[in-house]
Amino acid sequence: MRAHLAELGIIATAGLAKVEVLVAIVRDETDARLPAAARFALSAIADEIEASADQIERLERAIVLETKHDEDMRRLTTIPGVGAITAATIKARIPAGSSRLATLPPGWD
């Protein structure tokens, strides 16, 4: 999206917040900087960006909910810098049959 709009003189730096600004430009039918054909084509990309953002948000909510119900994951989130997603990742790497985080998987020491 950034590259396509840059070709039309609409520049934005990297980052999720900047992508949201670009999507808003594509959605704004009154913005004359964007030709109709470009707006039509970029609308499909904007749709994909918004769908991906929605899916990521749903997944994150599910992981946070799982963290609230899992003792090991809750304990992991007490470590500074470890959030629900990192806790879920660590928990997933624990060897099968190990019910505790007493030992770390190979390569995590």
Side-chain angles (χ1 to χ4, degrees):
M1 170 94 53
R2 285 179 46 235
H4 290 301
L5 288 171
E7 289 182 15
L8 298 167
I10 302 170
I11 308 296
T13 58
L16 182 58
K18 302 302 183 185
V19 172
E20 291 172 357
V21 170
L22 295 177
V23 168
I25 291 169
V26 169
R27 299 284 189 225
D28 183 1
E29 299 285 337
T30 64
D31 193 323
R33 296 176 293 175
L34 205 54
R39 184 179 317 281
F40 176 75
L42 291 171
S43 289
I45 295 172
D47 292 344
E48 290 295 324
I49 290 169
E50 290 171 337
S52 292
D54 289 345
Q55 184 176 15
I56 290 167
E57 187 177 312
R58 284 192 309 273
L59 291 169
E60 186 172 358
R61 280 195 309 264
I63 291 168
V64 168
L65 183 62
E66 182 181 346
T67 301
K68 290 179 182 180
H69 299 297
D70 185 287
E71 179 185 345
D72 290 331
M73 289 170 60
R74 276 196 318 271
R75 201 158 34 98
L76 283 166
T77 60
T78 65
I79 300 168
V82 175
I85 293 173
T86 302
T89 303
I90 293 169
K91 176 78 178 202
R93 305 258 337 244
I94 300 300
S98 175
S99 62
R100 292 310 213 165
L101 297 173
T103 59
L104 293 174
W108 283 56
D109 49 317

